[in-house]
Amino acid sequence: MRASRRVLGVVWLGLCACPTPAASDEAATASESGGSSSTSSTGGSTSTTSTSGQSPEPVTTTGAAPDGGGCGHDTPEALMGCVETRRWSEDVALIAHSRPPGSPHWQMVQDRCAAALEQAGFTVQRQAYASGVNVVGTLPGTTSPDEVVLLAAHYDHIGGCPGADDNASGVAGALEVARVLGQAALPRTVVVACWDEEELGLRGSRAFAQGLTGPMPVVAFNFDMIGVASEADDSQVFPGPLAERFPELQAELVANRGRANFIAVVADGPAEAFARELEGLAESLGRLTGVMALTAAEKLDEDDFGVLTLSDHRSFWERDIPALHVFDTGVFRYPGYHCTSGLDTPDRLDAVFAADVMKATAAAMASAAGL
C-alpha cells in the first residue's frame, strides 16, 4: 500500500476513535535472513524462502488454516469451499522478500503471477508500460465475454522490506481466487492481474486503467494487505474523521471491543452493492466486515478521505469505474506496515483471517460474474 506521510502522520497524532494497540512491537528484532527455510517450486524453477522472528502483540499468528466445507462450482457459496489456505501460505512465503521494481525477486514474483494464472486456465499477457510490467490474466465469459469483473493486487514493494502483508498477502490471495474461479463456468469474463509500481504512485494500475477502451469493467476488486488480524481488545485504530463519517461502523467496532479482527471494504457509490454482497458472504462465515462507501465527491478527496484512496482501486475511480478495496486496514492495526516497527514477515500474518477474505471475495466475484 502506498504511504502518505502527511495523512498517516495526522492519524497517528491522535485523531483516533479507538485506542492504539495496547502492546508495542519494539521487541521485534527479526532478521529476514534468519529463521526457518522452506523450498517452493514455481514454473520449473526452485526458490528457497525464509521467515523468522516473533509475532508481536496484538498481531496473531495462527499458521495455516484448516480448509472446511465441500468444494462446489455451481453457486458462489459453494466456491468458498474450494479455497485452499495452504496454497496462500506457500505463495506468501515465496513472495515475501525485498522486491523493488527491477530486482531479481521482483522478476521471480512476476513470473510466479504469470505461471499461476496460466495454471488456473487464464490467458496471460505481460503488459509493459513506460516504467514497469503488469501481469494480466483473462478468463473469457461463457455468454457475456465483453462484460468484465476484475481482481488485482500489486506485486512490488519498497526495498529492504519483505512485504509479507504489503502485499505478498494480496498477490497470493488474488492467485488463489483465480484458481478457484477458474474451476467455474462464469457468464462474464474474469480478469485477475498483478500490478507493478503501486508503491511508486499507482503506476501499473493507472497504466492499465488509463489504457482501457470500449466497455469498462463492471467492477474492479483490489487486494492490498489481507493478512493481519488480532483478537486483542483495542488493537484497532479508527481515525476520528472516519468515525464521524461512518458512525454506524464506529458503533459496531466499539461493540466489538476495538478488536482488529474484521475485514474492511472501501467502495465508491457504484460499487457499494458489490461490497455489500461481499460483506454478507463474509459474515455468513462468522467474519465481521465493515463497509465504507464514498460519494463521487469524497472518493477523490485527498484532504478528508485520502487515507482511503492510497491503493490501486483509486486508478479505477479516476476513470469512473466501480471499484472496491478489500483489506485489513494496514497501518491502523499493524505496526509492521512498511517495516516501520519490525519486519513485515509471514510469521506475523493470520491465515484464518486471509482465508475468510479469499472465500468471501471469490464468492462475491462469482456472483458479479453472473454465477
Side-chain angles (χ1 to χ4, degrees), residues 238-250:
F238 194 49
L242 296 184
E244 292 177 6
R245 172 62 178 82
F246 302 103
E248 293 181 2
L249 179 56
Q250 165 63 3

Side-chain angles (χ1 to χ4, degrees), residues 334-358:
Y334 183 38
Y337 168 78
H338 276 205
C339 292
T340 54
S341 184
L343 295 179
D344 178 11
T345 48
D347 57 292
R348 302 176 74 174
L349 306 188
D350 187 328
V352 174
F353 175 83
D356 286 345
V357 175
M358 291 183 286

Side-chain angles (χ1 to χ4, degrees), residues 124-342:
V124 175
Q125 175 190 10
R126 299 191 194 219
Q127 180 199 41
Y129 58 94
S131 56
V133 180
N134 295 325
V135 181
V136 182
T138 302
L139 186 71
T142 57
T143 60
S144 302
D146 292 335
E147 299 175 5
V148 173
V149 175
L150 183 146
L151 168 66
H154 76 90
Y155 71 97
D156 65 305
H157 195 48
I158 60 175
C161 182
D165 192 37
D166 184 13
N167 186 33
S169 68
V171 172
L175 296 180
E176 177 58 10
V177 170
R179 187 191 66 81
V180 169
L181 294 179
Q183 302 174 45
L186 302 173
R188 285 173 165 162
T189 292
V190 169
V191 170
V192 177
C194 297
W195 303 138
D196 197 2
E197 296 187 315
E198 186 267 0
E199 300 288 0
L200 297 176
L202 317 181
R203 290 178 183 174
S205 59
R206 276 205 175 108
F208 179 88
Q210 294 298 324
L212 286 172
T213 58
M216 295 294 106
V218 174
V219 63
F221 291 73
N222 182 50
F223 274 176
D224 191 357
M225 301 183 296
I226 65 167
V228 170
S230 174
E231 295 297 328
D233 289 358
D234 299 327
S235 52
Q236 180 69 50
V237 173
F238 194 49
L242 296 184
E244 292 177 6
R245 172 62 178 82
F246 302 103
E248 293 181 2
L249 179 56
Q250 165 63 3
E252 194 170 24
L253 297 184
V254 170
N256 193 45
R257 305 200 306 271
R259 293 178 294 177
N261 60 2
F262 62 92
I263 301 170
V265 184
V266 179
D268 63 345
E272 183 175 2
F274 299 101
R276 297 296 178 188
E277 174 83 359
L278 191 154
E279 177 185 34
L281 289 161
E283 295 194 345
S284 76
L285 300 169
R287 179 65 63 181
L288 182 66
T289 303
V291 174
M292 291 171 280
L294 301 179
T295 67
E298 290 170 339
K299 69 181 183 181
L300 298 179
D301 183 341
E302 293 274 359
D303 294 329
D304 294 329
F305 299 100
V307 72
L308 300 181
T309 71
L310 295 176
S311 190
D312 291 304
H313 55 292
R314 180 186 174 97
S315 297
F316 294 89
W317 287 353
E318 291 171 349
R319 290 292 312 270
D320 288 326
I321 297 168
L324 56 121
H325 179 34
V326 186
F327 70 136
D328 60 23
T329 78
V331 68
F332 299 113
R333 70 173 59 163
Y334 183 38
Y337 168 78
H338 276 205
C339 292
T340 54
S341 184

